[in-house]
Amino acid sequence: MAGTVSNEPYQRVSSENGAYEGALIGTAIGAGGAGAGVFGARMHYKGIDKRAERHLKAIESREPVIQRKINKVNAQAENPRMSFMQKAKSTIADAGINQINNLRNAQLNGLNAKNEQMRNVVDSVYGANPAVAKEADISRRSHYAQSYAEINSHYDNVIQGSNFSKLKKQVEESLENKRARLEKNRDVKVNKLNKELGHLSAGRQKWGEDGVKLMKQKHPYTHVKGIGRSAAVIGAGALIGGGAGMILGGLTDEVNKHVEQ
């Protein structure tokens, strides 16, 4: 009793109770703290596997979501969508340039037809005068090549100096600016998403088989060995129960004493 009376729980309650009641209540409080600590550690230890299972399921569910977000942001930066006005301008520019190219193709087709006629003429005189035919064929080839280059150069200059080309250039510059903004935004978002993936990877390592094994090895409950675990829990329960019984018995005796008087 002397050792019990001198403990800290007793000191906290003895000022409001008698020594007998204070000793019993102090004993119960002290034993309850010890028992609750071991019991709580045991419950926490036993729940590690379930917590690991929940964490891993959450990680497996989250990882593909993040990866889809990364793919989407990358696609947006690589292929920025045109606005309504950009599409309209691009359509007008393409239509105008196509018209100019149609004129080019028509003139080139005429050149090809004339060249084919000249080839037939050269072939027809080749048997009678090979030297003349050969010289005429060289002239034909040179004229065709020069005319072909001049036609293409002319229409390239027409397209380049047209409003259609200027309009198309505006659309391209606008898209390039948009792409630059999207790439900057992508770098920020992807960096953030990659960090989240890193956290998930660390969580997978923490709650994986090896991580759980290490967690159990380091857990305080692991260091309460064998009989000591049972003794601590049972002993704490017995002290609490015994203390409560003694307190109840003491109160009953006190009531009976007053009744007999």
Side-chain angles (χ1 to χ4, degrees):
M1 179 64 72
T4 304
V5 172
S6 64
N7 68 19
E8 185 179 351
Y10 165 75
Q11 296 293 338
R12 292 199 300 267
V13 299
S14 61
S15 61
E16 299 177 2
N17 302 277
Y20 179 73
E21 290 86 347
L24 293 176
I25 294 173
T27 301
I29 292 173
V38 175
F39 182 74
R42 179 175 181 272
M43 292 300 291
H44 189 269
Y45 178 86
K46 293 294 184 182
I48 289 177
D49 290 329
K50 286 294 183 182
R51 291 196 300 277
E53 183 179 351
R54 290 196 300 271
H55 280 293
L56 289 177
K57 283 183 178 179
I59 290 170
E60 290 174 358
S61 175
R62 181 63 180 165
E63 281 178 336
V65 174
I66 297 175
Q67 192 58 56
R68 285 196 296 270
K69 288 184 177 181
I70 291 175
N71 294 339
K72 182 179 179 180
V73 172
N74 284 331
Q76 288 175 342
E78 292 171 2
N79 300 297
R81 294 182 179 180
M82 290 184 179
S83 66
F84 176 80
M85 288 301 298
Q86 288 172 333
K87 288 181 180 179
K89 289 179 180 180
S90 181
T91 300
I92 293 171
D94 288 340
I97 291 172
N98 286 337
Q99 288 179 351
I100 295 173
N101 282 326
N102 287 338
L103 294 175
R104 180 207 305 263
N105 292 333
Q107 194 164 349
L108 288 174
N109 289 336
L111 176 65
N112 289 333
K114 289 182 179 179
N115 182 61
E116 192 62 27
Q117 290 175 355
M118 289 296 297
R119 185 198 299 273
N120 292 333
V121 171
V122 170
D123 289 344
S124 66
V125 300
Y126 188 80
N129 196 339
V132 172
K134 184 176 182 180
E135 184 177 349
D137 193 53
I138 292 173
S139 176
R140 175 191 67 81
R141 291 173 181 271
S142 176
H143 175 75
Y144 176 79
Q146 182 178 354
S147 297
Y148 190 90
E150 287 176 352
I151 291 171
N152 278 318
S153 177
H154 169 71
Y155 284 101
D156 285 343
N157 290 334
V158 170
I159 290 174
Q160 187 175 359
S162 69
N163 290 330
F164 302 121
S165 179
K166 294 176 181 178
L167 195 60
K168 194 169 185 66
K169 186 176 181 181
Q170 289 176 3
V171 174
E172 291 174 351
E173 289 177 350
S174 178
L175 280 176
E176 192 61 34
N177 292 334
K178 185 176 182 180
R179 183 180 289 107
R181 292 194 303 270
L182 288 173
E183 287 178 350
K184 184 177 180 180
N185 184 55
R186 176 199 59 190
D187 292 342
V188 174
K189 286 186 176 180
V190 170
N191 184 51
K192 183 178 179 180
L193 291 170
N194 280 331
K195 284 183 179 179
E196 187 173 352
L197 281 178
H199 291 321
L200 292 179
S201 179
R204 183 182 291 278
Q205 184 175 0
K206 176 181 178 180
W207 294 105
E209 184 177 350
D210 293 339
V212 168
K213 183 178 179 181
L214 181 62
M215 198 180 300
K216 288 181 177 179
Q217 290 174 352
K218 292 183 176 181
H219 199 280
Y221 184 70
T222 305
H223 302 288
V224 181
K225 302 297 182 181
I227 298 175
R229 298 180 181 178
S230 300
V233 176
I234 294 172
L239 285 171
I240 295 171
M246 291 173 67
I247 293 169
L248 181 59
L251 291 175
T252 301
D253 291 342
E254 187 69 19
V255 171
N256 290 335
K257 182 173 62 176
H258 287 290
V259 170
E260 291 174 356
Q261 292 177 353

